[in-house]
């Protein structure tokens, strides 16, 4: 019975992580240059891309971002993908690389002999390929 309970718990955790990964990928694919215009409130895609790509700031005094930081901030919004997918799972959002957002999902394995497990996902912001065309 313990094995069945462990397997059921593992299945729930793995399913929650997989669902969250799909949500992240979906929301990233929706973040097109046109969507950036709506999100930033800018009047054209060049201005919106300059902000998302980190070439300029939206408000005076703001610190310039990077594509991975912009995506991280977007995804961490609770209405987008910022909610933890399962109570046993923690997410580390690493935007240290300018062009790559690394999500690390950590959880204590239901089986007592395993310990902490991690799932790592690299996300290249959908709009970042457009950053090279921004003046």
């Amino acid at each position: 019975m313990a094995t069945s309970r462990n397997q059921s718990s593992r299945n729930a955790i793995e399913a929650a992580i997989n669902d969250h990964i799909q949500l992240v990928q979906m929301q990233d694919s929706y973040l097109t240059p046109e969507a950036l215009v709506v999100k930033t409130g800018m009047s054209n895609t060049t201005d919106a891309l300059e902000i998302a790509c980190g070439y300029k700031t939206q408000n005076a005094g703001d610190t310039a971002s990077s594509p991975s930081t912009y995506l991280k901030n977007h995804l961490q919004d609770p209405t987008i993908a910022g909610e933890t997918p399962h109570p046993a799972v923690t997410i580390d959002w690493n935007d240290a690389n300018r062009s790559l957002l690394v999500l690390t999902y950590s959880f204590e394995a239901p089986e007592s002999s395993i310990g902490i497990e991690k799932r790592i996902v690299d996300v290249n912001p959908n709009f970042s390929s457009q950053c090279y065309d921004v003046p």
Side-chain angles (χ1 to χ4, degrees):
M1 284 182 33
T3 301
S4 177
R5 184 175 60 245
N6 288 344
Q7 188 62 43
S8 176
S9 181
R10 172 172 290 286
N11 288 343
I13 291 169
E14 296 282 357
I17 291 172
N18 286 334
D19 288 348
H20 192 262
I21 291 168
Q22 289 180 11
L23 176 63
V24 164
Q25 291 172 333
M26 178 184 71
Q27 290 299 330
D28 174 48
S29 71
Y30 288 163
L31 204 54
T32 62
E34 294 76 21
L36 290 170
V37 170
V38 174
K39 184 161 178 56
T40 61
M42 297 286 108
S43 59
N44 61 59
T45 56
T46 301
D47 289 342
L49 275 168
E50 285 181 345
I51 291 168
C53 295
Y55 298 132
K56 76 178 199 179
T57 61
Q58 189 161 1
N59 302 308
D62 285 354
T63 304
S65 182
S66 70
S68 63
T69 301
Y70 190 90
L71 178 61
K72 177 184 90 168
N73 293 337
H74 173 70
L75 293 174
Q76 284 183 327
D77 179 331
T79 63
I80 305 294
E83 297 291 322
T84 303
H86 189 279
V89 178
T90 59
I91 305 172
D92 175 49
W93 305 76
N94 184 336
D95 61 344
N97 183 320
R98 177 174 172 71
S99 303
L100 197 64
L101 177 62
V102 180
L103 281 77
T104 304
Y105 299 86
S106 302
F107 62 95
E108 181 77 35
E111 303 83 6
S112 59
S113 62
I114 295 177
I116 300 291
E117 287 191 35
K118 295 182 179 188
R119 303 292 180 267
I120 300 172
V121 178
D122 298 334
V123 183
N124 183 297
N126 179 48
F127 63 86
S128 67
S129 65
Q130 303 294 314
C131 292
Y132 303 111
D133 296 334
V134 177

